[in-house]
Structure formats: C-alpha cells, structure tokens
Amino acid sequence: MMDFKFNEVEQQFRDEMRSLLAEQLPADYADRAFLEDVSEDERAALAVKMTKALADRKWLAMAWPEEHGGIGAGHVQQMLYKEEVAYNSMPSGSTMGVDWVGPAIMLFGTDEQKAKYLPNIVGGVDQWCTLYSEPGAGSDLASLQTRAVRDGDEWVINGSKIWTSGGHSSNMGWLAARTDPDAPKHRGISTFVMDMNSPGIEVRPLVNMAGEHSFNEVFFEDVRIPGENLVGVENRGWYQVATALDYERSGVGAYAGGKRNLERLVGVAKEDSALLSNNPTARYELADRWVELQVGYNVAYRIPFLQAQGQIPNHEASVSKLYGSELTQRIARTGLHLLGMQGQVMPGSPHARLGGAIAKTYLSSVSSTVAAGTSEVQRNIIAQRGLGLPRG
C-alpha cells in the first residue's frame, strides 16, 4: 500500500497552478471547449498566453535542471501539473519538445546543440513534433525504414512517417531514422533534429472519423540536413530514445479528462431526471465509472511516487496507460447510453444534447487504445516485465 499524500510544497504548487489557470483562462473555457464553442483564433491566442505565463514561471519545463531553464521539479509536481492542465482543458502547443526532445539533447547532445535548442524549448519559442512511427513500424518502432545517408557534411533523408501529432503546426522535428540498414533492427538507428521547413518535406493531414485534425503523414524526399544535426552517437538512437522517455509518465491526464467528462454527464442527469428514469441502468453505469476513475487515479498516482523513491515504474506505466485508455472509451459509451438517441447526434443539430460533444467524444475515444502505444503492446509489457511471463 502507498499513502498518496502531497507534501506542503506539492500542495502549494497545485494551488498556484489552479490560480494561474483561473487568472489566464475564461471561467467557462473548459466547458465551451468541450462544446466546441471556441474558435481556432481564440484557442491559439490563449495557447500563446498560457505558454508565456508558464515560461515566465519556469513551469513550461519544470522538471529540467535549473541550468537549462527549469526548476528541477520532482515527478509528483509534474504529475500535478499535467492533472490540472487536463482537467481544465488548457490550450497549449506541442509538449514534445519538453517531454522528449529536450531531455534527449540534455543527455546526448553537444554543448553547441544544448545552447542552440534548449532555450527555445523552455521559452516556448519552438514547436516540436516527433517523427517516429511509420506505416510499417508503429508500436514496433525498431522496424522503421526511413533512411538517413551521410553525404559529405550533410545527411540525406528519404522515407515517410505517420501519426505525427502536430506535424502541420511544428517548426522543428525530432527524427528517428535508420543509418545502418544491415544492422539488427534495434541497432543502426540514429536521432536527428530537423527544420520542418526544409525543402523536400511534405506534410499531409490525417483527419479522424470525429472530424479532428491532429495527426499527419510526413514524407521526406532527398531532404538535406546539416551533419551536426545528428544527436548522440550514430547508430545508437534506439537506446537514446528509450532512455530519454524515462520521465514522468503517470498517464494522469486520461483520468483528469475523464473526471471532467463524467462530472458533465452527472450534471446533465441531475438536471433532467427523465434520463435516468427512462434508462435506469445508466445510473449504475455512472457509479461504476466513478469507482473505476478512483482506481485509475490510484494507479496513476503510484507512478510518480515510485519515481520519487528512485524506482523505474516500467510496467506500472503500461498499466496506467492501458487502464486509462479503456476507461476513456467506457466513459464515452456511458455518455451515449445515458443520453440515448440525442447523444448520438453530432454538433450542429438542434436535437443534440451537450452540443453533440458526447458523439464526438465517443468517436475520438476509439483511437485511445491505439495512440501512444496499443493496448496489445501494453499487455505484453505488463505480462513480460511485470508478471515475468515468457514471450508468446
């Protein structure tokens, strides 16, 4: 058993984070965003405003060491930050520079690379996308085939990536490419930084079935980048990627977002008693989801508390990701069961309940068990690294 009590510094930070969000965001922003009553211009303006406010407080990259612009925040404090961000639907740019790129450059980059890239990440100047997954190498990242070939003082990149979040709005990319095609698949991979405006890069949108555009395909045709854009040791990129990912990864955002959505459903049920009288089983579904949500929070909270003790919660993170992904889908289904036919109507219809947001949430939730590592991969990690079972 673990006692999840926040110390005085952590609780003070949570209070300060909540105050900042209350000051910077309109009081009704989270609900308007849920109902899609926020224009892209308003969202973008608020994202810029929030980025500046966080950067001014050195909270944008709070886990980073002070010499690189952070405050050396612990894992629990990072988790509290992500929880409040998700619960309040805070608009922001990509966090990949902070979460993945910056740590990798700090660990493996040269002094020149640190001086060039880290200030613009911690200051919120550059927006980064991660160029990992490929059509034939999604969860099995080590099977990637995008090639990087040395040509004098440059690298020439050819290939393609898929499911690139924010690729259409990022000015910088973090690329994993194969530099030795004859090596075993976990070797022969290298990591690079690249300007997304380089000639030969084409970004094509991938719009999901909910009509949302966050993913992209990215194609590279004879893209030339400077030789010094290689980060770390050539052909050791796989190990560098795996090491740089060992940061706060509780998955608490799924539970915070799920809590907000469940609260909305409970609120609608209280306002319209006919919803439960017409569908009495929905009452039990709401109760089940609330119990599951508390279980999920315990799973998520356990991870940073283990990290604070110097442990590496590998399979524990997979448990949280798996459970959070599937709970997201169950909450969305409960919303449809509660609202009935009106819950299935998309935004724009006068017959839609909650502005049609539940229908879109349901469609969006389908990808949650695929994105950021499929449920099948998570179960394999849990079985092999958590339970010690042999490979199938």
Side-chain angles (χ1 to χ4, degrees):
M1 294 289 293
M2 300 191 73
D3 187 7
F4 302 126
K5 290 183 178 179
F6 304 119
N7 62 36
E8 184 177 347
V9 172
E10 292 160 352
Q11 188 57 54
Q12 181 181 350
F13 170 76
R14 186 200 279 273
D15 293 341
E16 291 176 356
M17 185 66 192
R18 288 175 173 172
S19 295
L20 175 66
L21 290 167
E23 292 169 3
Q24 300 291 330
L25 296 178
D28 61 347
Y29 178 79
D31 289 329
R32 286 197 295 115
F34 179 71
L35 297 173
E36 295 194 339
D37 188 27
V38 175
S39 69
E40 184 59 29
D41 288 343
E42 181 184 2
R43 192 207 67 80
L46 286 172
V48 171
K49 181 181 179 183
M50 287 304 310
T51 297
K52 184 181 185 306
L54 292 168
D56 289 345
R57 290 165 174 78
K58 297 187 177 181
W59 287 358
L60 200 61
M62 64 174 65
W64 289 18
E66 292 184 17
E67 62 264 32
H68 294 307
I71 59 173
H75 293 288
V76 174
Q77 189 168 328
Q78 296 174 63
M79 181 203 67
L80 293 175
Y81 168 83
K82 293 188 176 181
E83 182 179 349
E84 295 303 325
V85 164
Y87 183 78
N88 291 280
S89 303
M90 187 191 85
S92 65
S94 170
T95 64
M96 294 181 183
V98 172
D99 295 340
W100 295 344
V101 182
I105 292 175
M106 279 187 272
L107 288 170
F108 307 110
T110 64
D111 289 340
E112 291 77 13
Q113 289 171 334
K114 294 174 186 177
K116 182 176 182 179
Y117 299 114
L118 296 183
N120 282 350
I121 295 176
V122 78
V125 176
D126 287 337
Q127 293 294 301
W128 290 77
C129 60
T130 49
L131 302 159
Y132 286 168
S133 296
E134 298 182 4
S139 297
D140 185 14
L141 178 61
S143 295
L144 64 84
Q145 295 300 314
T146 293
R147 291 288 310 278
V149 178
R150 188 80 186 212
D151 183 19
D153 294 332
E154 296 179 315
W155 292 92
V156 182
I157 314 297
N158 282 282
S160 66
K161 299 290 180 176
I162 199 169
W163 312 124
T164 303
S165 297
H168 59 298
S169 57
S170 299
N171 65 309
M172 298 296 296
W174 177 247
L175 172 72
R178 189 162 297 282
T179 44
D180 184 353
D182 299 321
K185 69 177 188 178
H186 286 89
R187 302 180 183 178
I189 295 173
S190 301
T191 51
F192 304 85
V193 295
M194 64 188 318
D195 184 339
M196 289 298 290
N197 295 311
S198 301
I201 297 179
E202 180 184 1
V203 180
R204 298 179 188 172
L206 290 172
V207 180
N208 67 17
M209 60 184 177
E212 301 164 333
H213 172 209
S214 61
F215 297 125
N216 302 271
E217 293 179 286
V218 182
F219 297 88
F220 309 97
E221 184 175 353
D222 293 331
V223 179
R224 290 183 172 271
I225 61 176
E228 61 265 24
N229 283 26
L230 171 71
V231 177
V233 179
E234 184 177 343
N235 297 327
R236 295 287 294 176
W238 168 262
Y239 308 99
Q240 294 166 184
V241 166
T243 301
L245 288 176
D246 187 28
Y247 282 75
E248 196 285 314
R249 50 205 173 102
S250 65
V252 73
Y255 304 110
K259 179 181 179 181
R260 194 65 178 255
N261 285 348
L262 197 55
E263 288 173 344
R264 292 183 174 108
L265 293 175
V266 171
V268 171
K270 288 181 177 179
E271 293 171 1
D272 186 354
S273 59
L275 289 175
L276 293 179
S277 60
N278 294 336
N279 185 8
T281 61
R283 180 188 303 273
Y284 301 107
E285 282 194 59
L286 289 171
D288 285 345
R289 298 298 86 79
W290 192 261
V291 171
E292 292 167 355
L293 192 65
Q294 306 316 306
V295 172
Y297 266 111
N298 281 324
V299 171
Y301 280 3
R302 184 167 183 258
I303 292 167
F305 276 84
L306 287 173
Q307 290 173 311
Q309 297 172 10
Q311 301 183 47
I312 300 177
N314 189 288
H315 69 273
E316 291 89 347
S318 288
V319 171
S320 183
K321 199 283 176 187
L322 172 67
Y323 192 77
S325 296
E326 297 187 350
L327 178 57
T328 296
Q329 294 178 343
R330 289 196 295 274
I331 291 174
R333 287 198 296 270
T334 294
L336 289 184
H337 294 163
L338 174 68
L339 301 181
M341 294 295 289
Q342 289 177 309
Q344 300 176 39
V345 182
M346 293 293 283
S349 170
H351 305 291
R353 294 297 294 266
L354 282 177
I358 293 300
K360 290 206 68 173
T361 298
Y362 174 78
L363 292 174
S364 298
S365 73
V366 172
S367 65
S368 63
T369 49
V370 177
T374 66
S375 290
E376 290 76 13
V377 168
Q378 306 307 327
R379 286 188 167 89
N380 282 339
I381 293 172
I382 295 166
Q384 295 164 15
R385 302 179 187 175
L387 301 176
L389 299 177
R391 292 179 179 271

Coordinates of all heavy atoms in Angstrom, one line a residue, residues 161-234:
K161 N 6.8 9.1 -42.5 CA 6.3 8.9 -41.1 C 4.8 9.1 -41.1 O 4.2 9.7 -42.0 CB 6.9 9.9 -40.1 CG 8.5 9.8 -40.1 CD 8.9 8.6 -39.4 CE 10.4 8.5 -39.3 NZ 10.9 7.3 -38.5
I162 N 4.2 8.5 -40.1 CA 2.7 8.6 -40.0 C 2.3 8.8 -38.5 O 3.1 8.6 -37.6 CB 2.0 7.3 -40.5 CG1 0.6 7.5 -40.9 CG2 2.2 6.1 -39.6 CD1 -0.1 6.4 -41.7
W163 N 1.1 9.3 -38.3 CA 0.6 9.6 -37.0 C 1.4 10.6 -36.3 O 1.6 10.6 -35.1 CB 0.4 8.3 -36.1 CG -0.2 7.2 -36.8 CD1 0.3 5.9 -36.9 CD2 -1.5 7.2 -37.4 NE1 -0.6 5.1 -37.6 CE2 -1.7 5.8 -37.9 CE3 -2.5 8.1 -37.5 CZ2 -2.9 5.5 -38.5 CZ3 -3.7 7.7 -38.2 CH2 -3.9 6.5 -38.7
T164 N 1.9 11.6 -37.0 CA 2.8 12.6 -36.5 C 1.9 13.7 -35.9 O 1.4 14.6 -36.6 CB 3.7 13.2 -37.6 OG1 4.5 12.2 -38.1 CG2 4.6 14.3 -37.0
S165 N 1.8 13.7 -34.6 CA 0.9 14.7 -33.9 C 1.6 16.1 -34.1 O 2.8 16.3 -33.8 CB 0.8 14.4 -32.4 OG 0.2 13.2 -32.2
G166 N 0.7 17.1 -34.5 CA 1.2 18.5 -34.6 C 2.2 18.7 -35.7 O 2.8 19.8 -35.7
G167 N 2.4 17.8 -36.6 CA 3.4 18.0 -37.7 C 3.0 19.2 -38.6 O 3.9 19.8 -39.1
H168 N 1.8 19.5 -38.7 CA 1.3 20.6 -39.5 C 1.6 22.0 -38.8 O 1.6 23.0 -39.5 CB -0.1 20.5 -39.8 CG -1.0 20.5 -38.6 ND1 -1.0 19.5 -37.7 CD2 -2.0 21.3 -38.2 CE1 -1.9 19.7 -36.7 NE2 -2.5 20.8 -37.0
S169 N 1.8 22.0 -37.5 CA 2.0 23.3 -36.8 C 3.3 23.4 -36.2 O 3.6 24.3 -35.4 CB 0.9 23.4 -35.8 OG 0.9 22.3 -34.9
S170 N 4.2 22.4 -36.4 CA 5.5 22.4 -35.8 C 6.6 23.0 -36.7 O 6.6 22.7 -37.9 CB 5.9 21.0 -35.4 OG 5.0 20.5 -34.4
N171 N 7.5 23.8 -36.2 CA 8.6 24.3 -37.0 C 9.9 23.4 -36.8 O 10.8 23.6 -37.6 CB 8.9 25.7 -36.6 CG 9.4 25.9 -35.2 OD1 8.8 25.4 -34.3 ND2 10.6 26.6 -35.1
M172 N 9.9 22.5 -35.9 CA 11.0 21.6 -35.6 C 10.6 20.2 -35.5 O 9.5 19.9 -35.0 CB 11.8 22.1 -34.4 CG 12.4 23.5 -34.4 SD 13.7 23.6 -35.7 CE 14.9 22.5 -35.1
G173 N 11.4 19.3 -36.0 CA 11.1 17.9 -35.9 C 12.2 17.1 -35.2 O 13.4 17.4 -35.3
W174 N 11.8 16.0 -34.5 CA 12.8 15.1 -33.8 C 12.6 13.8 -34.5 O 11.7 13.1 -34.4 CB 12.4 15.0 -32.4 CG 13.3 14.1 -31.5 CD1 12.8 12.9 -30.9 CD2 14.6 14.2 -31.2 NE1 13.9 12.3 -30.3 CE2 15.0 13.1 -30.4 CE3 15.6 15.2 -31.5 CZ2 16.3 12.9 -29.9 CZ3 16.9 15.0 -31.0 CH2 17.2 13.9 -30.2
L175 N 13.7 13.4 -35.3 CA 13.6 12.3 -36.3 C 14.4 11.1 -35.8 O 15.5 11.2 -35.4 CB 14.1 12.8 -37.6 CG 14.3 11.7 -38.7 CD1 12.9 11.2 -39.2 CD2 15.1 12.2 -39.9
A176 N 13.8 9.9 -35.9 CA 14.5 8.7 -35.8 C 14.6 8.0 -37.2 O 13.5 7.8 -37.8 CB 13.8 7.7 -34.8
A177 N 15.8 7.8 -37.6 CA 16.0 7.2 -39.0 C 17.0 6.1 -38.9 O 17.9 6.1 -38.1 CB 16.4 8.3 -39.9
R178 N 17.0 5.2 -39.9 CA 17.9 4.1 -40.0 C 19.2 4.6 -40.7 O 19.1 5.1 -41.8 CB 17.3 2.9 -40.7 CG 18.2 1.7 -40.6 CD 17.4 0.4 -40.9 NE 16.3 0.2 -39.9 CZ 16.5 -0.3 -38.7 NH1 17.7 -0.6 -38.3 NH2 15.5 -0.5 -37.9
T179 N 20.3 4.5 -40.0 CA 21.6 4.9 -40.6 C 22.5 3.7 -41.0 O 23.5 3.8 -41.6 CB 22.3 5.8 -39.6 OG1 22.3 5.3 -38.3 CG2 21.7 7.2 -39.7
D180 N 22.1 2.5 -40.5 CA 22.8 1.3 -40.9 C 21.8 0.2 -41.2 O 21.3 -0.5 -40.3 CB 23.7 0.8 -39.8 CG 24.6 -0.4 -40.2 OD1 24.4 -1.0 -41.3 OD2 25.5 -0.8 -39.4
P181 N 21.4 0.0 -42.5 CA 20.4 -0.9 -42.9 C 20.8 -2.4 -42.7 O 19.9 -3.3 -42.7 CB 20.1 -0.6 -44.4 CG 21.4 0.0 -44.8 CD 22.0 0.7 -43.7
D182 N 22.0 -2.7 -42.5 CA 22.5 -4.0 -42.3 C 22.6 -4.5 -40.9 O 22.8 -5.7 -40.6 CB 23.9 -4.2 -43.0 CG 23.8 -3.9 -44.5 OD1 22.8 -4.3 -45.1 OD2 24.8 -3.3 -45.0
A183 N 22.4 -3.6 -40.0 CA 22.5 -3.9 -38.5 C 21.2 -4.5 -38.1 O 20.1 -4.3 -38.7 CB 22.8 -2.6 -37.7
P184 N 21.2 -5.3 -36.9 CA 19.9 -5.7 -36.3 C 19.0 -4.6 -36.1 O 19.5 -3.4 -35.9 CB 20.4 -6.4 -35.0 CG 21.8 -6.8 -35.3 CD 22.4 -5.7 -36.2
K185 N 17.7 -4.8 -36.1 CA 16.7 -3.7 -36.1 C 16.8 -2.8 -34.9 O 16.5 -1.6 -35.1 CB 15.3 -4.2 -36.3 CG 14.7 -5.0 -35.1 CD 13.3 -5.3 -35.4 CE 12.6 -5.9 -34.1 NZ 11.1 -6.2 -34.4
H186 N 17.3 -3.2 -33.8 CA 17.4 -2.3 -32.6 C 18.7 -1.5 -32.7 O 18.9 -0.6 -31.9 CB 17.3 -3.0 -31.3 CG 15.9 -3.5 -31.0 ND1 15.4 -4.7 -31.4 CD2 14.9 -2.9 -30.3 CE1 14.2 -4.8 -31.0 NE2 13.8 -3.7 -30.3
R187 N 19.5 -1.8 -33.6 CA 20.8 -1.1 -33.9 C 20.7 -0.4 -35.2 O 19.8 -0.7 -36.0 CB 22.0 -2.0 -33.8 CG 22.1 -2.7 -32.5 CD 23.3 -3.6 -32.4 NE 23.4 -4.4 -31.2 CZ 24.3 -5.3 -30.9 NH1 25.3 -5.5 -31.8 NH2 24.3 -5.9 -29.7
G188 N 21.6 0.5 -35.5 CA 21.5 1.1 -36.8 C 20.5 2.2 -36.9 O 20.2 2.7 -38.0
I189 N 20.0 2.7 -35.8 CA 19.0 3.8 -35.8 C 19.7 5.0 -35.2 O 20.4 4.9 -34.2 CB 17.8 3.5 -35.0 CG1 17.0 2.3 -35.7 CG2 16.9 4.7 -34.8 CD1 15.8 1.8 -34.9
S190 N 19.5 6.2 -35.7 CA 20.1 7.4 -35.2 C 19.0 8.5 -35.0 O 17.9 8.4 -35.7 CB 21.2 7.9 -36.1 OG 22.3 7.0 -36.2
T191 N 19.3 9.5 -34.2 CA 18.3 10.5 -34.0 C 18.8 11.9 -34.4 O 20.0 12.2 -34.3 CB 17.9 10.6 -32.5 OG1 19.1 10.7 -31.7 CG2 17.1 9.4 -32.0
F192 N 17.9 12.7 -35.0 CA 18.3 14.0 -35.6 C 17.3 15.1 -35.2 O 16.1 14.8 -35.0 CB 18.3 13.9 -37.1 CG 19.2 12.8 -37.7 CD1 18.7 11.5 -37.8 CD2 20.5 13.1 -38.1 CE1 19.5 10.5 -38.3 CE2 21.3 12.1 -38.6 CZ 20.8 10.8 -38.7
V193 N 17.8 16.3 -35.2 CA 16.9 17.4 -35.2 C 16.8 18.0 -36.6 O 17.7 17.9 -37.4 CB 17.4 18.5 -34.3 CG1 17.4 18.1 -32.8 CG2 18.8 19.0 -34.6
M194 N 15.6 18.5 -37.0 CA 15.4 19.0 -38.4 C 14.4 20.1 -38.4 O 13.5 20.1 -37.6 CB 15.0 17.8 -39.3 CG 13.7 17.2 -39.1 SD 13.5 15.7 -40.1 CE 14.1 16.3 -41.7
D195 N 14.7 21.0 -39.3 CA 13.8 22.1 -39.6 C 12.7 21.6 -40.4 O 12.9 21.1 -41.5 CB 14.6 23.3 -40.3 CG 13.8 24.5 -40.5 OD1 12.5 24.4 -40.5 OD2 14.4 25.6 -40.7
M196 N 11.4 21.7 -40.0 CA 10.3 21.2 -40.7 C 10.0 22.0 -42.0 O 9.2 21.6 -42.8 CB 9.1 21.2 -39.8 CG 9.2 20.1 -38.7 SD 9.3 18.4 -39.4 CE 7.6 18.2 -40.1
N197 N 10.7 23.1 -42.2 CA 10.5 23.9 -43.4 C 11.6 23.6 -44.4 O 11.7 24.3 -45.4 CB 10.5 25.4 -43.1 CG 9.4 25.8 -42.2 OD1 8.2 25.5 -42.5 ND2 9.7 26.5 -41.1
S198 N 12.4 22.5 -44.2 CA 13.4 22.1 -45.1 C 12.8 21.7 -46.4 O 11.7 21.0 -46.5 CB 14.2 21.0 -44.5 OG 14.8 21.4 -43.3
P199 N 13.4 22.0 -47.6 CA 13.0 21.5 -48.9 C 12.9 20.0 -48.9 O 13.8 19.3 -48.4 CB 14.0 22.1 -49.8 CG 14.6 23.2 -49.1 CD 14.6 22.9 -47.7
G200 N 11.8 19.5 -49.5 CA 11.7 18.0 -49.6 C 10.8 17.4 -48.6 O 10.5 16.2 -48.7
I201 N 10.3 18.2 -47.6 CA 9.3 17.7 -46.6 C 7.9 18.1 -47.0 O 7.6 19.2 -47.3 CB 9.6 18.3 -45.2 CG1 11.0 17.9 -44.8 CG2 8.6 17.9 -44.2 CD1 11.4 18.4 -43.4
E202 N 7.0 17.1 -47.0 CA 5.6 17.3 -47.3 C 4.8 16.7 -46.2 O 5.0 15.6 -45.7 CB 5.2 16.6 -48.6 CG 3.7 16.8 -48.9 CD 3.3 16.0 -50.2 OE1 4.1 15.3 -50.8 OE2 2.1 16.1 -50.5
V203 N 3.9 17.6 -45.6 CA 3.0 17.2 -44.5 C 1.6 17.1 -45.0 O 1.1 18.0 -45.6 CB 3.1 18.2 -43.4 CG1 2.2 17.8 -42.2 CG2 4.6 18.3 -42.8
R204 N 1.0 15.9 -44.9 CA -0.4 15.7 -45.3 C -1.2 15.4 -44.1 O -0.9 14.6 -43.2 CB -0.5 14.5 -46.3 CG 0.3 14.7 -47.6 CD 0.2 13.5 -48.5 NE 1.1 13.5 -49.6 CZ 1.3 12.5 -50.4 NH1 0.6 11.3 -50.3 NH2 2.1 12.6 -51.5
P205 N -2.4 16.1 -44.0 CA -3.2 15.9 -42.8 C -3.9 14.5 -42.8 O -4.3 13.9 -43.8 CB -4.3 17.0 -42.9 CG -4.3 17.3 -44.4 CD -2.9 17.0 -44.9
L206 N -4.1 14.0 -41.6 CA -4.9 12.8 -41.3 C -6.1 13.2 -40.4 O -5.9 13.6 -39.3 CB -4.1 11.7 -40.6 CG -3.0 11.0 -41.5 CD1 -2.2 10.1 -40.6 CD2 -3.6 10.2 -42.6
V207 N -7.3 13.3 -41.0 CA -8.5 13.7 -40.2 C -9.2 12.4 -39.7 O -9.5 11.5 -40.5 CB -9.4 14.5 -41.1 CG1 -10.6 15.0 -40.4 CG2 -8.6 15.7 -41.7
N208 N -9.4 12.4 -38.4 CA -10.1 11.2 -37.9 C -11.6 11.2 -38.1 O -12.1 12.1 -38.6 CB -9.7 11.0 -36.4 CG -10.3 12.1 -35.5 OD1 -11.3 12.8 -35.9 ND2 -9.8 12.2 -34.3
M209 N -12.2 10.1 -37.7 CA -13.7 10.0 -38.0 C -14.5 10.9 -37.2 O -15.7 11.0 -37.5 CB -14.1 8.5 -37.8 CG -14.0 8.0 -36.4 SD -14.4 6.2 -36.4 CE -14.1 5.8 -34.7
A210 N -13.9 11.6 -36.2 CA -14.7 12.7 -35.5 C -14.5 14.0 -36.2 O -15.0 15.0 -35.7 CB -14.2 12.7 -34.0
G211 N -13.8 14.0 -37.3 CA -13.5 15.3 -38.0 C -12.4 16.1 -37.4 O -12.3 17.3 -37.7
E212 N -11.5 15.5 -36.6 CA -10.5 16.3 -35.9 C -9.1 16.1 -36.7 O -8.8 15.0 -37.1 CB -10.3 15.8 -34.5 CG -11.6 16.0 -33.7 CD -11.6 15.2 -32.4 OE1 -10.9 14.2 -32.3 OE2 -12.3 15.7 -31.4
H213 N -8.4 17.1 -36.7 CA -7.1 17.0 -37.4 C -6.0 17.3 -36.4 O -5.8 18.4 -35.9 CB -7.0 18.0 -38.5 CG -5.6 18.1 -39.1 ND1 -5.1 19.3 -39.7 CD2 -4.6 17.2 -39.2 CE1 -3.9 19.1 -40.1 NE2 -3.5 17.8 -39.8
S214 N -5.3 16.3 -35.9 CA -4.1 16.4 -35.1 C -2.9 15.6 -35.6 O -1.8 16.0 -35.5 CB -4.4 16.0 -33.6 OG -4.8 14.7 -33.6
F215 N -3.3 14.5 -36.3 CA -2.3 13.6 -36.9 C -2.0 14.0 -38.3 O -2.7 14.6 -39.0 CB -2.7 12.1 -36.8 CG -2.9 11.6 -35.5 CD1 -4.2 11.0 -35.1 CD2 -1.9 11.6 -34.5 CE1 -4.4 10.5 -33.9 CE2 -2.1 11.1 -33.3 CZ -3.3 10.5 -32.9
N216 N -0.8 13.5 -38.8 CA -0.3 13.8 -40.1 C 0.5 12.7 -40.7 O 1.1 11.9 -39.9 CB 0.5 15.1 -40.2 CG -0.2 16.3 -39.6 OD1 -0.9 17.0 -40.3 ND2 -0.1 16.6 -38.3
E217 N 0.6 12.6 -42.0 CA 1.7 11.9 -42.7 C 2.8 12.9 -43.0 O 2.5 14.0 -43.4 CB 1.1 11.2 -43.9 CG 0.1 10.1 -43.7 CD -0.4 9.6 -45.0 OE1 -1.1 10.3 -45.7 OE2 0.1 8.4 -45.4
V218 N 4.0 12.4 -42.9 CA 5.1 13.3 -43.3 C 6.0 12.5 -44.3 O 6.4 11.4 -44.0 CB 5.9 13.8 -42.1 CG1 7.1 14.7 -42.5 CG2 5.0 14.5 -41.1
F219 N 6.3 13.1 -45.4 CA 7.1 12.5 -46.4 C 8.4 13.2 -46.6 O 8.4 14.5 -46.6 CB 6.4 12.4 -47.8 CG 5.1 11.6 -47.7 CD1 3.9 12.2 -47.3 CD2 5.1 10.2 -48.0 CE1 2.7 11.4 -47.2 CE2 4.0 9.5 -47.9 CZ 2.8 10.1 -47.5
F220 N 9.5 12.5 -46.8 CA 10.8 13.1 -47.0 C 11.4 12.6 -48.3 O 11.5 11.4 -48.6 CB 11.8 12.6 -45.9 CG 11.3 12.8 -44.5 CD1 10.7 11.8 -43.8 CD2 11.4 14.1 -43.9 CE1 10.2 11.9 -42.5 CE2 10.9 14.2 -42.6 CZ 10.3 13.2 -41.9
E221 N 11.7 13.5 -49.2 CA 12.3 13.2 -50.5 C 13.6 14.0 -50.6 O 13.6 15.2 -50.9 CB 11.3 13.5 -51.6 CG 11.9 13.1 -53.0 CD 10.9 13.3 -54.1 OE1 9.7 13.7 -53.8 OE2 11.2 13.2 -55.3
D222 N 14.7 13.3 -50.5 CA 16.0 13.9 -50.6 C 16.2 15.1 -49.7 O 16.7 16.2 -50.2 CB 16.4 14.2 -52.1 CG 16.5 12.9 -52.9 OD1 16.9 11.9 -52.4 OD2 16.2 13.0 -54.1
V223 N 15.7 15.1 -48.5 CA 15.8 16.2 -47.6 C 17.2 16.2 -47.0 O 17.7 15.3 -46.5 CB 14.8 16.0 -46.4 CG1 14.9 17.2 -45.4 CG2 13.4 16.0 -47.0
R224 N 17.8 17.4 -47.2 CA 19.2 17.5 -46.7 C 19.2 18.3 -45.4 O 18.7 19.4 -45.3 CB 20.1 18.2 -47.8 CG 20.3 17.3 -49.0 CD 21.2 18.0 -50.0 NE 21.6 17.0 -51.0 CZ 22.7 16.2 -51.0 NH1 23.5 16.3 -50.0 NH2 22.9 15.4 -52.0
I225 N 19.9 17.8 -44.4 CA 20.1 18.5 -43.1 C 21.6 18.5 -42.8 O 22.3 17.6 -43.2 CB 19.2 17.8 -42.0 CG1 19.7 16.4 -41.8 CG2 17.8 17.9 -42.3 CD1 19.0 15.7 -40.6
P226 N 22.0 19.5 -42.0 CA 23.4 19.6 -41.7 C 23.9 18.4 -40.9 O 23.2 17.8 -40.1 CB 23.5 20.9 -40.8 CG 22.3 21.7 -41.2 CD 21.3 20.6 -41.5
G227 N 25.2 18.0 -41.1 CA 25.8 16.9 -40.4 C 25.7 17.0 -38.9 O 25.5 16.1 -38.1
E228 N 25.8 18.3 -38.4 CA 25.7 18.5 -36.9 C 24.4 18.3 -36.3 O 24.2 18.4 -35.1 CB 26.3 19.9 -36.6 CG 25.5 21.0 -37.1 CD 26.1 21.6 -38.5 OE1 26.7 20.8 -39.1 OE2 25.8 22.7 -38.8
N229 N 23.4 18.0 -37.2 CA 22.0 17.8 -36.6 C 21.9 16.4 -36.0 O 20.8 16.1 -35.4 CB 21.0 18.0 -37.7 CG 20.7 19.4 -38.0 OD1 21.5 20.3 -37.8 ND2 19.5 19.7 -38.5
L230 N 22.8 15.5 -36.2 CA 22.9 14.2 -35.5 C 23.0 14.4 -34.0 O 23.9 15.2 -33.6 CB 24.0 13.4 -36.1 CG 24.3 12.0 -35.3 CD1 23.2 11.0 -35.6 CD2 25.6 11.5 -35.7
V231 N 22.2 13.8 -33.2 CA 22.2 14.0 -31.8 C 22.7 12.6 -31.2 O 22.1 11.6 -31.4 CB 20.9 14.4 -31.2 CG1 21.0 14.4 -29.7 CG2 20.4 15.7 -31.8
G232 N 23.8 12.7 -30.4 CA 24.3 11.5 -29.8 C 25.1 10.7 -30.7 O 25.7 11.2 -31.7
V233 N 25.3 9.4 -30.4 CA 26.2 8.5 -31.2 C 25.4 7.9 -32.3 O 24.3 7.4 -32.2 CB 26.7 7.4 -30.2 CG1 27.6 6.4 -31.0 CG2 27.4 8.0 -29.0
E234 N 26.0 7.9 -33.5 CA 25.4 7.3 -34.7 C 25.2 5.8 -34.4 O 26.0 5.1 -33.8 CB 26.4 7.5 -35.9 CG 25.8 7.0 -37.2 CD 26.8 7.2 -38.4 OE1 27.7 8.1 -38.2 OE2 26.6 6.6 -39.4

